[in-house]
Amino acid sequence: MWGMDERAAEDGARESHPLRFRTVFLDRDGVINRKPAAGEYVADWAEFALLPGVPQAIVRMNAAGLRVFVVTNQRGIARGLVQESAVREIHRRMVEVLAALGARIDGVYVCPHDEGECDCRKPAPGLFRQAQRDVPGVDFAESVVVGDSWTDMEAGNAIGAATIRIEPDSEAARATSETARVGLRVDAVVGSLAEAAEWILRLRDA
Ligand SMILES: [Mg+2]
Ligand SMILES: [Zn+2]
């Protein structure tokens, strides 16, 4: 946890979000698996590297009764750099590997488009709405969006969910990026999905 006074952050979240979150939307690259270099895409399962602590974090959230969705922009598909079938296969294996470790993913939603050609590329809300259509009872006001990009925070703000930004780099780097985007609401900045789960579950238990 960095930046905000922790108590102030919790109070802020209490003001506009219910104590009990029910749904978590996870970005993929940089949250679940190691982020590829800028302009590169995970094109094959062999390139998909789960980040440390991810299965355990999802298990904990499942156990607390949270639904867990994955929402990911993959414009490498539109650019012809990644096969859509390869992305499907990567997600099938991701869900399978996580399930073998006891971690349940309730749905995986992908935007395969390039910028400006759809209503599902984050920060647009299309992927979140797809999950809402597929699974009854998903209320954005009871949801948290976890991501490592500003587009994830922007999407979370747009649907009225809480937002957690993962910034694995040094505190100095976090400070720089924080000041770069004033105007976006970020409820917590953490270093990993494990820390994000900690934050979500602490609020639930409060
Ligand atoms: Mg990401
Ligand atoms: Zn799209």
Side-chain angles (χ1 to χ4, degrees):
M1 186 86 56
W2 168 86
M4 288 175 276
D5 173 79
E6 287 191 15
R7 179 169 297 277
E10 286 188 22
D11 287 346
R14 281 197 189 102
E15 274 170 30
S16 53
H17 299 289
L19 278 179
R20 290 183 172 273
F21 292 116
R22 300 294 316 281
T23 303
V24 182
F25 290 99
L26 304 179
D27 171 46
R28 195 194 78 181
D29 298 327
V31 173
I32 293 176
N33 58 288
R34 195 180 309 128
K35 192 186 186 69
E40 292 182 16
Y41 301 89
V42 179
D44 186 273
W45 175 247
E47 299 165 4
F48 188 92
L50 267 187
L51 289 167
V54 163
Q56 297 88 337
I58 296 171
V59 166
R60 287 190 64 199
M61 294 191 286
N62 290 158
L66 292 156
R67 302 179 192 90
V68 178
F69 296 106
V70 175
V71 285
T72 179
N73 287 348
Q74 295 296 329
R75 74 168 151 180
I77 296 170
R79 293 177 168 188
L81 301 170
V82 190
Q83 295 295 315
E84 191 154 18
S85 58
V87 172
R88 267 198 303 274
E89 174 66 5
I90 287 165
H91 291 158
R92 187 187 68 73
R93 297 183 73 155
M94 173 185 79
V95 167
E96 188 178 84
V97 162
L98 288 170
L101 297 166
R104 188 192 73 246
I105 298 291
D106 294 278
V108 180
Y109 297 91
V110 180
C111 168
H113 309 113
D114 210 332
E115 269 172 52
E117 54 181 41
C118 68
D119 66 356
C120 62
R121 181 175 166 79
K122 295 177 288 184
L127 299 181
F128 301 87
R129 295 204 196 290
Q130 284 176 35
Q132 201 174 38
R133 276 196 293 273
D134 290 346
V135 179
V138 172
D139 180 350
F140 294 147
E142 297 178 335
S143 299
V144 193
V145 176
V146 182
D148 66 330
S149 298
W150 288 107
T151 49
D152 299 311
M153 304 299 96
E154 205 176 332
N157 288 179
I159 64 171
T163 50
I164 304 179
R165 182 166 160 82
I166 292 183
E167 270 279 4
D169 302 330
S170 68
E171 291 197 2
R174 294 183 204 180
T176 308
S177 67
E178 275 305 290
T179 52
R181 293 288 181 100
V182 287
L184 282 181
R185 179 198 168 100
V186 179
D187 292 290
V189 180
V190 299
S192 65
L193 183 57
E195 286 179 30
E198 194 72 43
W199 187 89
I200 292 165
L201 297 175
R202 206 178 52 223
L203 286 191
R204 276 180 64 91
D205 296 337

